Amino acid sequence: MLVGVDTTLAGAQAELVEQAKWREHPNRDTPEHVRDQAELWAGQARTELEWAKSLSK
């Protein structure tokens, strides 16, 4: 079971890295409110990831 959790956490971390790249270099046509929403989602995902890490310990 722990291996599954570790794999899921690693996948979530990788997704956050990809999202960060997109937020740093968004498409010019992407409206500002969409970028703001992406920041909100990323913040929530980071918080949930940290919570999951602490729970798995």
Side-chain angles (χ1 to χ4, degrees), residues 21-36:
K21 289 177 187 176
W22 177 83
R23 289 190 320 274
E24 287 176 19
H25 306 287
N27 184 325
R28 287 184 182 170
D29 297 330
T30 303
E32 188 173 343
H33 74 278
V34 172
R35 289 180 288 203
D36 291 342

Side-chain angles (χ1 to χ4, degrees), residues 16-54:
L16 281 173
V17 169
E18 289 303 311
Q19 288 179 13
K21 289 177 187 176
W22 177 83
R23 289 190 320 274
E24 287 176 19
H25 306 287
N27 184 325
R28 287 184 182 170
D29 297 330
T30 303
E32 188 173 343
H33 74 278
V34 172
R35 289 180 288 203
D36 291 342
Q37 184 67 47
E39 283 293 327
L40 180 63
W41 288 335
Q44 181 178 356
R46 283 190 300 271
T47 301
E48 290 176 358
L49 181 60
E50 290 305 314
W51 173 82
K53 284 179 184 179
S54 68

